[in-house]
mmCIF file of all heavy atoms in Angstrom:
data_model
loop_
_atom_site.group_PDB
_atom_site.id
_atom_site.type_symbol
_atom_site.label_atom_id
_atom_site.label_comp_id
_atom_site.label_asym_id
_atom_site.label_seq_id
_atom_site.Cartn_x
_atom_site.Cartn_y
_atom_site.Cartn_z
ATOM 1 N N MET A 1 -6.716 91.112 23.894
ATOM 2 C CA MET A 1 -7.482 92.311 23.699
ATOM 3 C C MET A 1 -8.972 92.030 23.938
ATOM 4 O O MET A 1 -9.673 92.877 24.490
ATOM 5 C CB MET A 1 -7.252 92.834 22.278
ATOM 6 C CG MET A 1 -7.826 94.195 22.041
ATOM 7 S SD MET A 1 -7.463 94.898 20.443
ATOM 8 C CE MET A 1 -5.762 95.314 20.614
ATOM 9 N N ILE A 2 -9.405 90.865 23.513
ATOM 10 C CA ILE A 2 -10.802 90.498 23.728
ATOM 11 C C ILE A 2 -11.081 90.330 25.221
ATOM 12 O O ILE A 2 -12.101 90.804 25.733
ATOM 13 C CB ILE A 2 -11.149 89.219 22.948
ATOM 14 C CG1 ILE A 2 -11.049 89.481 21.453
ATOM 15 C CG2 ILE A 2 -12.531 88.723 23.303
ATOM 16 C CD1 ILE A 2 -11.225 88.261 20.593
ATOM 17 N N VAL A 3 -10.150 89.700 25.922
ATOM 18 C CA VAL A 3 -10.337 89.482 27.357
ATOM 19 C C VAL A 3 -10.360 90.814 28.098
ATOM 20 O O VAL A 3 -11.197 91.031 28.990
ATOM 21 C CB VAL A 3 -9.222 88.559 27.901
ATOM 22 C CG1 VAL A 3 -9.302 88.444 29.402
ATOM 23 C CG2 VAL A 3 -9.302 87.200 27.246
ATOM 24 N N LEU A 4 -9.469 91.716 27.728
ATOM 25 C CA LEU A 4 -9.445 93.036 28.359
ATOM 26 C C LEU A 4 -10.744 93.791 28.083
ATOM 27 O O LEU A 4 -11.278 94.469 28.963
ATOM 28 C CB LEU A 4 -8.246 93.845 27.863
ATOM 29 C CG LEU A 4 -8.059 95.225 28.467
ATOM 30 C CD1 LEU A 4 -7.860 95.127 29.968
ATOM 31 C CD2 LEU A 4 -6.907 95.932 27.812
ATOM 32 N N GLY A 5 -11.267 93.666 26.864
ATOM 33 C CA GLY A 5 -12.535 94.298 26.536
ATOM 34 C C GLY A 5 -13.677 93.769 27.384
ATOM 35 O O GLY A 5 -14.521 94.532 27.870
ATOM 36 N N VAL A 6 -13.713 92.457 27.591
ATOM 37 C CA VAL A 6 -14.769 91.862 28.419
ATOM 38 C C VAL A 6 -14.627 92.308 29.866
ATOM 39 O O VAL A 6 -15.629 92.638 30.531
ATOM 40 C CB VAL A 6 -14.730 90.316 28.302
ATOM 41 C CG1 VAL A 6 -15.642 89.671 29.313
ATOM 42 C CG2 VAL A 6 -15.088 89.881 26.894
ATOM 43 N N ILE A 7 -13.391 92.352 30.363
ATOM 44 C CA ILE A 7 -13.166 92.790 31.745
ATOM 45 C C ILE A 7 -13.629 94.237 31.928
ATOM 46 O O ILE A 7 -14.303 94.571 32.905
ATOM 47 C CB ILE A 7 -11.679 92.634 32.131
ATOM 48 C CG1 ILE A 7 -11.328 91.154 32.235
ATOM 49 C CG2 ILE A 7 -11.367 93.354 33.431
ATOM 50 C CD1 ILE A 7 -9.854 90.887 32.392
ATOM 51 N N LEU A 8 -13.284 95.105 30.968
ATOM 52 C CA LEU A 8 -13.710 96.503 31.078
ATOM 53 C C LEU A 8 -15.223 96.641 30.963
ATOM 54 O O LEU A 8 -15.819 97.496 31.624
ATOM 55 C CB LEU A 8 -13.016 97.348 30.005
ATOM 56 C CG LEU A 8 -11.547 97.645 30.249
ATOM 57 C CD1 LEU A 8 -10.966 98.425 29.082
ATOM 58 C CD2 LEU A 8 -11.349 98.397 31.537
ATOM 59 N N LEU A 9 -15.849 95.808 30.136
ATOM 60 C CA LEU A 9 -17.309 95.835 30.049
ATOM 61 C C LEU A 9 -17.948 95.487 31.386
ATOM 62 O O LEU A 9 -18.878 96.151 31.843
ATOM 63 C CB LEU A 9 -17.796 94.852 28.985
ATOM 64 C CG LEU A 9 -17.773 95.331 27.543
ATOM 65 C CD1 LEU A 9 -18.141 94.188 26.612
ATOM 66 C CD2 LEU A 9 -18.704 96.488 27.356
ATOM 67 N N VAL A 10 -17.438 94.450 32.019
ATOM 68 C CA VAL A 10 -18.004 94.008 33.296
ATOM 69 C C VAL A 10 -17.769 95.062 34.382
ATOM 70 O O VAL A 10 -18.693 95.416 35.126
ATOM 71 C CB VAL A 10 -17.413 92.643 33.709
ATOM 72 C CG1 VAL A 10 -17.806 92.281 35.125
ATOM 73 C CG2 VAL A 10 -17.851 91.569 32.737
ATOM 74 N N VAL A 11 -16.552 95.586 34.458
ATOM 75 C CA VAL A 11 -16.244 96.594 35.472
ATOM 76 C C VAL A 11 -17.061 97.861 35.227
ATOM 77 O O VAL A 11 -17.604 98.456 36.164
ATOM 78 C CB VAL A 11 -14.732 96.903 35.496
ATOM 79 C CG1 VAL A 11 -14.425 98.105 36.369
ATOM 80 C CG2 VAL A 11 -13.956 95.693 35.960
ATOM 81 N N GLY A 12 -17.165 98.270 33.972
ATOM 82 C CA GLY A 12 -17.963 99.450 33.654
ATOM 83 C C GLY A 12 -19.429 99.263 33.967
ATOM 84 O O GLY A 12 -20.108 100.190 34.412
ATOM 85 N N PHE A 13 -19.939 98.053 33.746
ATOM 86 C CA PHE A 13 -21.342 97.774 34.054
ATOM 87 C C PHE A 13 -21.589 97.775 35.563
ATOM 88 O O PHE A 13 -22.579 98.340 36.031
ATOM 89 C CB PHE A 13 -21.741 96.431 33.457
ATOM 90 C CG PHE A 13 -23.155 96.042 33.725
ATOM 91 C CD1 PHE A 13 -24.187 96.690 33.072
ATOM 92 C CD2 PHE A 13 -23.459 95.048 34.635
ATOM 93 C CE1 PHE A 13 -25.504 96.339 33.319
ATOM 94 C CE2 PHE A 13 -24.768 94.693 34.896
ATOM 95 C CZ PHE A 13 -25.797 95.344 34.230
ATOM 96 N N LEU A 14 -20.679 97.156 36.305
ATOM 97 C CA LEU A 14 -20.872 97.052 37.746
ATOM 98 C C LEU A 14 -20.702 98.393 38.462
ATOM 99 O O LEU A 14 -21.394 98.675 39.437
ATOM 100 C CB LEU A 14 -19.922 96.018 38.343
ATOM 101 C CG LEU A 14 -20.177 94.564 37.931
ATOM 102 C CD1 LEU A 14 -19.111 93.662 38.519
ATOM 103 C CD2 LEU A 14 -21.561 94.118 38.357
ATOM 104 N N THR A 15 -19.765 99.210 37.997
ATOM 105 C CA THR A 15 -19.507 100.480 38.664
ATOM 106 C C THR A 15 -20.319 101.636 38.093
ATOM 107 O O THR A 15 -20.406 102.682 38.724
ATOM 108 C CB THR A 15 -18.010 100.844 38.579
ATOM 109 O OG1 THR A 15 -17.641 100.946 37.204
ATOM 110 C CG2 THR A 15 -17.164 99.822 39.286
ATOM 111 N N GLY A 16 -20.878 101.457 36.907
ATOM 112 C CA GLY A 16 -21.661 102.522 36.293
ATOM 113 C C GLY A 16 -20.818 103.582 35.607
ATOM 114 O O GLY A 16 -21.305 104.664 35.311
ATOM 115 N N ILE A 17 -19.559 103.279 35.333
ATOM 116 C CA ILE A 17 -18.672 104.225 34.656
ATOM 117 C C ILE A 17 -18.800 103.979 33.152
ATOM 118 O O ILE A 17 -18.376 102.947 32.635
ATOM 119 C CB ILE A 17 -17.212 104.058 35.119
ATOM 120 C CG1 ILE A 17 -17.121 104.255 36.626
ATOM 121 C CG2 ILE A 17 -16.307 105.031 34.385
ATOM 122 C CD1 ILE A 17 -15.754 103.970 37.199
ATOM 123 N N SER A 18 -19.375 104.932 32.459
ATOM 124 C CA SER A 18 -19.703 104.718 31.051
ATOM 125 C C SER A 18 -18.476 104.701 30.146
ATOM 126 O O SER A 18 -18.497 104.071 29.097
ATOM 127 C CB SER A 18 -20.677 105.787 30.571
ATOM 128 O OG SER A 18 -20.087 107.061 30.661
ATOM 129 N N ILE A 19 -17.400 105.388 30.530
ATOM 130 C CA ILE A 19 -16.200 105.392 29.678
ATOM 131 C C ILE A 19 -15.563 104.012 29.644
ATOM 132 O O ILE A 19 -15.046 103.595 28.607
ATOM 133 C CB ILE A 19 -15.190 106.487 30.126
ATOM 134 C CG1 ILE A 19 -14.084 106.663 29.107
ATOM 135 C CG2 ILE A 19 -14.622 106.171 31.495
ATOM 136 C CD1 ILE A 19 -14.524 107.284 27.821
ATOM 137 N N LEU A 20 -15.621 103.267 30.742
ATOM 138 C CA LEU A 20 -15.103 101.905 30.746
ATOM 139 C C LEU A 20 -15.944 101.013 29.848
ATOM 140 O O LEU A 20 -15.431 100.136 29.159
ATOM 141 C CB LEU A 20 -15.065 101.336 32.163
ATOM 142 C CG LEU A 20 -14.052 101.952 33.105
ATOM 143 C CD1 LEU A 20 -14.156 101.294 34.470
ATOM 144 C CD2 LEU A 20 -12.657 101.834 32.557
ATOM 145 N N TRP A 21 -17.249 101.237 29.864
ATOM 146 C CA TRP A 21 -18.167 100.485 29.007
ATOM 147 C C TRP A 21 -17.830 100.733 27.536
ATOM 148 O O TRP A 21 -17.738 99.817 26.730
ATOM 149 C CB TRP A 21 -19.593 100.920 29.333
ATOM 150 C CG TRP A 21 -20.656 100.201 28.588
ATOM 151 C CD1 TRP A 21 -21.295 100.663 27.489
ATOM 152 C CD2 TRP A 21 -21.199 98.912 28.863
ATOM 153 N NE1 TRP A 21 -22.211 99.741 27.075
ATOM 154 C CE2 TRP A 21 -22.173 98.660 27.901
ATOM 155 C CE3 TRP A 21 -20.958 97.965 29.849
ATOM 156 C CZ2 TRP A 21 -22.906 97.491 27.884
ATOM 157 C CZ3 TRP A 21 -21.687 96.798 29.829
ATOM 158 C CH2 TRP A 21 -22.650 96.573 28.859
ATOM 159 N N THR A 22 -17.599 102.002 27.171
ATOM 160 C CA THR A 22 -17.289 102.366 25.790
ATOM 161 C C THR A 22 -15.953 101.796 25.348
ATOM 162 O O THR A 22 -15.842 101.220 24.257
ATOM 163 C CB THR A 22 -17.273 103.899 25.648
ATOM 164 O OG1 THR A 22 -18.515 104.415 26.111
ATOM 165 C CG2 THR A 22 -17.050 104.304 24.214
ATOM 166 N N ILE A 23 -14.933 101.934 26.174
ATOM 167 C CA ILE A 23 -13.615 101.399 25.832
ATOM 168 C C ILE A 23 -13.667 99.879 25.731
ATOM 169 O O ILE A 23 -13.031 99.281 24.863
ATOM 170 C CB ILE A 23 -12.563 101.867 26.869
ATOM 171 C CG1 ILE A 23 -12.368 103.368 26.771
ATOM 172 C CG2 ILE A 23 -11.235 101.155 26.660
ATOM 173 C CD1 ILE A 23 -11.507 103.953 27.860
ATOM 174 N N GLY A 24 -14.434 99.242 26.594
ATOM 175 C CA GLY A 24 -14.578 97.793 26.543
ATOM 176 C C GLY A 24 -15.208 97.330 25.249
ATOM 177 O O GLY A 24 -14.768 96.340 24.650
ATOM 178 N N ILE A 25 -16.234 98.032 24.786
ATOM 179 C CA ILE A 25 -16.871 97.670 23.516
ATOM 180 C C ILE A 25 -15.901 97.839 22.359
ATOM 181 O O ILE A 25 -15.798 96.976 21.484
ATOM 182 C CB ILE A 25 -18.141 98.515 23.300
ATOM 183 C CG1 ILE A 25 -19.215 98.105 24.289
ATOM 184 C CG2 ILE A 25 -18.659 98.385 21.878
ATOM 185 C CD1 ILE A 25 -20.439 98.983 24.268
ATOM 186 N N ILE A 26 -15.157 98.943 22.363
ATOM 187 C CA ILE A 26 -14.193 99.190 21.282
ATOM 188 C C ILE A 26 -13.124 98.111 21.264
ATOM 189 O O ILE A 26 -12.783 97.565 20.203
ATOM 190 C CB ILE A 26 -13.576 100.595 21.434
ATOM 191 C CG1 ILE A 26 -14.639 101.652 21.170
ATOM 192 C CG2 ILE A 26 -12.385 100.774 20.506
ATOM 193 C CD1 ILE A 26 -14.214 103.058 21.506
ATOM 194 N N LEU A 27 -12.570 97.775 22.422
ATOM 195 C CA LEU A 27 -11.538 96.740 22.479
ATOM 196 C C LEU A 27 -12.083 95.378 22.063
ATOM 197 O O LEU A 27 -11.395 94.606 21.388
ATOM 198 C CB LEU A 27 -10.953 96.656 23.888
ATOM 199 C CG LEU A 27 -9.969 97.734 24.276
ATOM 200 C CD1 LEU A 27 -9.522 97.541 25.721
ATOM 201 C CD2 LEU A 27 -8.770 97.726 23.358
ATOM 202 N N LEU A 28 -13.295 95.092 22.435
ATOM 203 C CA LEU A 28 -13.912 93.824 22.072
ATOM 204 C C LEU A 28 -14.096 93.721 20.564
ATOM 205 O O LEU A 28 -13.766 92.691 19.962
ATOM 206 C CB LEU A 28 -15.258 93.686 22.787
ATOM 207 C CG LEU A 28 -15.908 92.322 22.789
ATOM 208 C CD1 LEU A 28 -15.034 91.332 23.543
ATOM 209 C CD2 LEU A 28 -17.276 92.397 23.427
ATOM 210 N N VAL A 29 -14.559 94.777 19.933
ATOM 211 C CA VAL A 29 -14.777 94.759 18.486
ATOM 212 C C VAL A 29 -13.451 94.678 17.731
ATOM 213 O O VAL A 29 -13.296 93.879 16.805
ATOM 214 C CB VAL A 29 -15.591 96.003 18.051
ATOM 215 C CG1 VAL A 29 -15.600 96.150 16.544
ATOM 216 C CG2 VAL A 29 -17.006 95.908 18.587
ATOM 217 N N VAL A 30 -12.482 95.490 18.129
ATOM 218 C CA VAL A 30 -11.177 95.472 17.458
ATOM 219 C C VAL A 30 -10.492 94.125 17.642
ATOM 220 O O VAL A 30 -9.923 93.570 16.700
ATOM 221 C CB VAL A 30 -10.281 96.628 17.972
ATOM 222 C CG1 VAL A 30 -8.857 96.480 17.475
ATOM 223 C CG2 VAL A 30 -10.856 97.951 17.545
ATOM 224 N N GLY A 31 -10.559 93.569 18.838
ATOM 225 C CA GLY A 31 -9.970 92.256 19.082
ATOM 226 C C GLY A 31 -10.626 91.172 18.262
ATOM 227 O O GLY A 31 -9.953 90.280 17.731
ATOM 228 N N ALA A 32 -11.949 91.233 18.129
ATOM 229 C CA ALA A 32 -12.653 90.235 17.330
ATOM 230 C C ALA A 32 -12.287 90.346 15.853
ATOM 231 O O ALA A 32 -12.074 89.326 15.180
ATOM 232 C CB ALA A 32 -14.161 90.387 17.516
ATOM 233 N N VAL A 33 -12.175 91.563 15.341
ATOM 234 C CA VAL A 33 -11.794 91.753 13.940
ATOM 235 C C VAL A 33 -10.385 91.238 13.684
ATOM 236 O O VAL A 33 -10.129 90.539 12.693
ATOM 237 C CB VAL A 33 -11.929 93.242 13.541
ATOM 238 C CG1 VAL A 33 -11.261 93.517 12.205
ATOM 239 C CG2 VAL A 33 -13.391 93.639 13.494
ATOM 240 N N LEU A 34 -9.451 91.563 14.571
ATOM 241 C CA LEU A 34 -8.077 91.084 14.402
ATOM 242 C C LEU A 34 -7.995 89.564 14.516
ATOM 243 O O LEU A 34 -7.238 88.914 13.801
ATOM 244 C CB LEU A 34 -7.157 91.739 15.432
ATOM 245 C CG LEU A 34 -6.892 93.223 15.239
ATOM 246 C CD1 LEU A 34 -6.036 93.761 16.371
ATOM 247 C CD2 LEU A 34 -6.230 93.485 13.905
ATOM 248 N N TRP A 35 -8.792 88.987 15.394
ATOM 249 C CA TRP A 35 -8.803 87.536 15.552
ATOM 250 C C TRP A 35 -9.353 86.865 14.295
ATOM 251 O O TRP A 35 -8.801 85.865 13.820
ATOM 252 C CB TRP A 35 -9.630 87.170 16.771
ATOM 253 C CG TRP A 35 -9.753 85.707 17.028
ATOM 254 C CD1 TRP A 35 -8.748 84.783 16.983
ATOM 255 C CD2 TRP A 35 -10.933 84.993 17.370
ATOM 256 N NE1 TRP A 35 -9.243 83.550 17.290
ATOM 257 C CE2 TRP A 35 -10.589 83.649 17.530
ATOM 258 C CE3 TRP A 35 -12.251 85.371 17.568
ATOM 259 C CZ2 TRP A 35 -11.513 82.688 17.869
ATOM 260 C CZ3 TRP A 35 -13.165 84.410 17.918
ATOM 261 C CH2 TRP A 35 -12.792 83.079 18.066
ATOM 262 N N ILE A 36 -10.416 87.418 13.727
ATOM 263 C CA ILE A 36 -10.989 86.849 12.504
ATOM 264 C C ILE A 36 -10.012 86.972 11.345
ATOM 265 O O ILE A 36 -9.812 86.020 10.581
ATOM 266 C CB ILE A 36 -12.335 87.532 12.179
ATOM 267 C CG1 ILE A 36 -13.385 87.130 13.210
ATOM 268 C CG2 ILE A 36 -12.801 87.188 10.779
ATOM 269 C CD1 ILE A 36 -14.666 87.929 13.123
ATOM 270 N N LEU A 37 -9.377 88.133 11.197
ATOM 271 C CA LEU A 37 -8.397 88.301 10.119
ATOM 272 C C LEU A 37 -7.209 87.366 10.297
ATOM 273 O O LEU A 37 -6.698 86.804 9.324
ATOM 274 C CB LEU A 37 -7.915 89.747 10.060
ATOM 275 C CG LEU A 37 -8.890 90.759 9.495
ATOM 276 C CD1 LEU A 37 -8.309 92.167 9.601
ATOM 277 C CD2 LEU A 37 -9.221 90.439 8.052
ATOM 278 N N GLY A 38 -6.768 87.195 11.515
ATOM 279 C CA GLY A 38 -5.644 86.292 11.766
ATOM 280 C C GLY A 38 -5.997 84.844 11.506
ATOM 281 O O GLY A 38 -5.181 84.070 10.999
ATOM 282 N N SER A 39 -7.217 84.457 11.803
ATOM 283 C CA SER A 39 -7.617 83.065 11.576
ATOM 284 C C SER A 39 -7.833 82.781 10.095
ATOM 285 O O SER A 39 -7.781 81.632 9.675
ATOM 286 C CB SER A 39 -8.884 82.739 12.365
ATOM 287 O OG SER A 39 -9.976 83.461 11.850
ATOM 288 N N MET A 40 -8.073 83.838 9.295
ATOM 289 C CA MET A 40 -8.232 83.649 7.857
ATOM 290 C C MET A 40 -6.894 83.587 7.142
ATOM 291 O O MET A 40 -6.850 83.354 5.941
ATOM 292 C CB MET A 40 -9.078 84.783 7.274
ATOM 293 C CG MET A 40 -10.525 84.695 7.671
ATOM 294 S SD MET A 40 -11.570 86.078 7.165
ATOM 295 C CE MET A 40 -10.893 86.625 5.656
ATOM 296 N N GLY A 41 -5.815 83.815 7.847
ATOM 297 C CA GLY A 41 -4.488 83.701 7.252
ATOM 298 C C GLY A 41 -3.899 85.010 6.781
ATOM 299 O O GLY A 41 -2.839 85.026 6.180
ATOM 300 N N HIS A 42 -4.567 86.111 7.046
ATOM 301 C CA HIS A 42 -4.023 87.411 6.654
ATOM 302 C C HIS A 42 -3.004 87.863 7.676
ATOM 303 O O HIS A 42 -3.198 87.705 8.876
ATOM 304 C CB HIS A 42 -5.140 88.463 6.573
ATOM 305 C CG HIS A 42 -6.097 88.229 5.459
ATOM 306 N ND1 HIS A 42 -5.839 88.636 4.183
ATOM 307 C CD2 HIS A 42 -7.298 87.613 5.425
ATOM 308 C CE1 HIS A 42 -6.851 88.284 3.409
ATOM 309 N NE2 HIS A 42 -7.754 87.648 4.157
ATOM 310 N N ALA A 43 -1.919 88.447 7.190
ATOM 311 C CA ALA A 43 -0.915 89.001 8.088
ATOM 312 C C ALA A 43 -1.388 90.381 8.543
ATOM 313 O O ALA A 43 -1.512 91.298 7.745
ATOM 314 C CB ALA A 43 0.431 89.107 7.391
ATOM 315 N N VAL A 44 -1.688 90.512 9.810
ATOM 316 C CA VAL A 44 -2.143 91.787 10.357
ATOM 317 C C VAL A 44 -0.951 92.465 11.001
ATOM 318 O O VAL A 44 -0.355 91.939 11.930
ATOM 319 C CB VAL A 44 -3.267 91.563 11.392
ATOM 320 C CG1 VAL A 44 -3.714 92.889 11.977
ATOM 321 C CG2 VAL A 44 -4.418 90.824 10.750
ATOM 322 N N ALA A 45 -0.590 93.629 10.482
ATOM 323 C CA ALA A 45 0.565 94.402 10.958
ATOM 324 C C ALA A 45 1.826 93.557 10.943
ATOM 325 O O ALA A 45 2.604 93.532 11.885
ATOM 326 C CB ALA A 45 0.306 94.961 12.355
ATOM 327 N N GLY A 46 2.029 92.853 9.838
ATOM 328 C CA GLY A 46 3.216 92.007 9.701
ATOM 329 C C GLY A 46 4.467 92.829 9.583
ATOM 330 O O GLY A 46 4.460 93.976 9.159
ATOM 331 N N ARG A 47 5.578 92.227 9.942
ATOM 332 C CA ARG A 47 6.850 92.911 9.873
ATOM 333 C C ARG A 47 7.676 92.332 8.739
ATOM 334 O O ARG A 47 7.685 91.124 8.518
ATOM 335 C CB ARG A 47 7.605 92.762 11.199
ATOM 336 C CG ARG A 47 6.946 93.509 12.312
ATOM 337 C CD ARG A 47 7.683 93.266 13.622
ATOM 338 N NE ARG A 47 7.190 94.097 14.694
ATOM 339 C CZ ARG A 47 6.087 93.852 15.375
ATOM 340 N NH1 ARG A 47 5.353 92.802 15.091
ATOM 341 N NH2 ARG A 47 5.698 94.655 16.331
ATOM 342 N N ARG A 48 8.391 93.197 8.065
ATOM 343 C CA ARG A 48 9.272 92.741 6.995
ATOM 344 C C ARG A 48 10.668 92.511 7.554
ATOM 345 O O ARG A 48 11.160 93.296 8.363
ATOM 346 C CB ARG A 48 9.349 93.780 5.894
ATOM 347 C CG ARG A 48 8.037 93.980 5.205
ATOM 348 C CD ARG A 48 8.211 94.952 4.073
ATOM 349 N NE ARG A 48 6.911 95.209 3.500
ATOM 350 C CZ ARG A 48 6.720 95.592 2.255
ATOM 351 N NH1 ARG A 48 7.755 95.766 1.472
ATOM 352 N NH2 ARG A 48 5.515 95.808 1.813
ATOM 353 N N HIS A 49 11.268 91.450 7.125
ATOM 354 C CA HIS A 49 12.634 91.149 7.541
ATOM 355 C C HIS A 49 13.537 91.318 6.340
ATOM 356 O O HIS A 49 13.306 90.720 5.288
ATOM 357 C CB HIS A 49 12.730 89.732 8.090
ATOM 358 C CG HIS A 49 11.886 89.512 9.318
ATOM 359 N ND1 HIS A 49 12.245 90.018 10.542
ATOM 360 C CD2 HIS A 49 10.698 88.893 9.498
ATOM 361 C CE1 HIS A 49 11.324 89.689 11.441
ATOM 362 N NE2 HIS A 49 10.360 89.005 10.817
ATOM 363 N N TYR A 50 14.531 92.132 6.477
ATOM 364 C CA TYR A 50 15.414 92.440 5.362
ATOM 365 C C TYR A 50 16.696 91.616 5.387
ATOM 366 O O TYR A 50 17.649 91.942 4.744
ATOM 367 C CB TYR A 50 15.747 93.930 5.367
ATOM 368 C CG TYR A 50 14.544 94.793 5.102
ATOM 369 C CD1 TYR A 50 13.958 95.527 6.121
ATOM 370 C CD2 TYR A 50 13.983 94.855 3.832
ATOM 371 C CE1 TYR A 50 12.853 96.297 5.874
ATOM 372 C CE2 TYR A 50 12.872 95.628 3.579
ATOM 373 C CZ TYR A 50 12.307 96.357 4.600
ATOM 374 O OH TYR A 50 11.199 97.121 4.371
ATOM 375 N N TRP A 51 16.737 90.530 6.144
ATOM 376 C CA TRP A 51 17.932 89.699 6.181
ATOM 377 C C TRP A 51 17.620 88.277 5.941
ATOM 378 O O TRP A 51 16.657 87.730 5.921
ATOM 379 C CB TRP A 51 18.681 89.840 7.501
ATOM 380 C CG TRP A 51 17.779 89.944 8.688
ATOM 381 C CD1 TRP A 51 17.162 91.062 9.130
ATOM 382 C CD2 TRP A 51 17.366 88.911 9.570
ATOM 383 N NE1 TRP A 51 16.408 90.789 10.235
ATOM 384 C CE2 TRP A 51 16.514 89.470 10.524
ATOM 385 C CE3 TRP A 51 17.639 87.547 9.664
ATOM 386 C CZ2 TRP A 51 15.941 88.726 11.526
ATOM 387 C CZ3 TRP A 51 17.053 86.826 10.672
ATOM 388 C CH2 TRP A 51 16.213 87.407 11.602
#
């Protein structure tokens, strides 16, 4: 998600398409938050197994 955010930021910057820039920033921030939570040991959107 972080890589996709960076790619969209670069493409949006080079082409001047502001929606790509905005989506890239959002993906970058969300990816960074999920990465930090995952590295701290929190289960992010964990699944329960009933067996």
